[in-house]
Amino acid sequence: METGKSTEAAETATEAPEDYEGLRTLLLSRRETMPKRLKQLAAFAIEHPEEVAFGTVAGIAEHAGVQPSTLVRFAKSLGYDGFSHLQQIFRDRLRERFPDYRERLRVLRNLEGDHVHAASLLEGFANAATISLEKMRESVRPEELSRAIETLAKADTIYLLGARRVFPIAAYCAYAFGKLGVRAILIDHVAQLGPEQLATATERDAVLAISFTPYAPVTADLAAAAARNNIPVVAITDSAFSPLVSSADVWLEVAEADFGAFRSLSASFALAMALAVGTAEKRAES
């Protein structure tokens, strides 16, 4: 029998969040007090929103490592009528934030009737970049940034992990570290050789891993492998429930804003530049 039922009952929400952001806030506020299985399911839900949105109860439970009945208990503890009610929040969120690219273009065209002027597009993306940068200033704590820089500065070699949408950030870091005289290796996954590319890393090195929702499994897997081998991991990610957090010695939170469901990378690039230059300066001091 699972423990913590009294705690679960005490935490039953009087009113269920009506959108994903409200749900995320509630889960974060309860992260430390949730019973073990509900906390495990909460982490899985944030890490795998697509699977929660469109998976079956049995399939989600199997992948999350819980009993199917736990999904119902989890939903009701948050104030929902049942799991299908909670699942709808995830479906709505993904439809709003991550429609396919044709749908994104259709939405942008509809902003101004049949045609979106180039100036309007530029303004929209510039505003998203500005919002992202302002949010990053608040979410990245100076002491954590300093710890990240110290970790990278101590490394003989920095291994750079970033797949799919964030690969350009990892590639920029490879360029910047090289220009600054810091040895770095870009894990580019050519021929799916990411594990082999990381296999030469030792405890004297460090990994800089970058991933945002929906998280790239290869990045999470390789960061976890590095952590198991006692290789320091610095992570840039967007949530305390990110799969990178459990592997990271230090993690920095960046939540990019979007325009027409196209997410900015402005804050991520700014943070990457700060890490690269800060690492080089820290090495010069010693």
Side-chain angles (χ1 to χ4, degrees):
M1 180 179 296
E2 296 181 21
T3 60
K5 287 189 176 181
S6 59
T7 301
E8 177 187 336
E11 289 187 348
T12 299
T14 57
E15 185 175 350
E18 297 181 356
D19 56 32
Y20 179 81
E21 288 305 315
L23 173 60
R24 180 178 180 275
T25 299
L26 180 60
L27 291 176
L28 288 174
S29 70
R30 293 187 178 183
R31 181 177 51 180
E32 301 304 324
T33 59
M34 277 184 173
K36 179 181 177 180
R37 292 304 182 191
L38 298 192
K39 182 178 180 179
Q40 179 179 332
L41 184 52
F44 178 86
I46 300 300
E47 291 168 15
H48 305 279
E50 293 95 340
E51 187 162 346
V52 175
F54 301 111
T56 64
V57 169
I60 295 169
E62 180 181 357
H63 292 155
V66 300
Q67 294 297 319
S69 59
T70 304
L71 274 68
V72 178
R73 291 177 46 229
F74 177 65
K76 290 188 174 181
S77 76
L78 300 171
Y80 296 99
D81 297 334
F83 182 70
S84 61
H85 187 188
L86 170 62
Q87 190 174 44
Q88 190 60 48
I89 300 297
F90 283 87
R91 290 179 177 177
D92 291 344
R93 181 255 186 179
L94 289 176
R95 289 193 184 102
E96 291 173 2
R97 291 186 59 82
F98 303 116
D100 64 38
Y101 279 82
R102 290 183 180 180
E103 176 65 16
R104 297 181 196 190
L105 292 175
R106 187 190 66 77
V107 170
L108 286 177
R109 286 195 298 269
N110 288 345
L111 292 177
E112 294 187 6
D114 295 332
H115 180 68
V116 177
H117 296 294
S120 297
L121 284 174
L122 179 59
E123 182 69 14
F125 288 118
N127 286 338
T130 299
I131 293 170
S132 297
L133 289 166
E134 290 299 327
K135 290 171 64 177
M136 186 264 290
R137 285 173 173 168
E138 297 176 359
S139 64
V140 175
R141 294 179 294 175
E143 60 270 23
E144 297 301 321
L145 180 60
S146 295
R147 283 184 57 206
I149 288 172
E150 289 174 5
T151 300
L152 297 176
K154 292 176 182 177
D156 290 345
T157 302
I158 301 170
Y159 289 77
L160 304 169
L161 284 175
R164 299 173 64 86
R165 189 176 70 91
V166 301
F167 183 77
I169 305 169
Y172 167 78
C173 286
Y175 167 81
F177 281 127
K179 287 292 186 180
L180 293 166
V182 178
R183 178 173 169 78
I185 295 177
L186 176 64
I187 307 299
D188 57 19
H189 308 289
V190 170
Q192 297 184 335
L193 291 176
E196 287 77 10
Q197 291 174 320
L198 187 60
T200 55
T202 72
E203 296 179 17
R204 298 188 303 273
D205 302 318
V207 169
L208 175 59
I210 310 163
S211 190
F212 304 130
T213 306
Y215 308 105
V218 66
T219 301
D221 291 345
L222 291 181
R228 287 194 298 271
N229 290 325
N230 297 316
I231 302 167
V233 176
V234 174
I236 299 175
T237 192
D238 57 0
S239 167
F241 282 117
S242 165
L244 294 185
V245 170
S246 60
S247 302
D249 294 83
V250 56
W251 68 281
L252 306 170
E253 182 176 359
V254 177
E256 299 276 6
D258 68 86
F259 175 62
F262 290 92
R263 282 178 290 171
S264 171
L265 286 175
S266 301
S268 303
F269 271 109
L271 180 56
M273 293 174 69
L275 286 173
V277 175
T279 297
E281 287 185 337
K282 192 70 176 178
R283 285 193 170 197
E285 290 175 3
S286 58

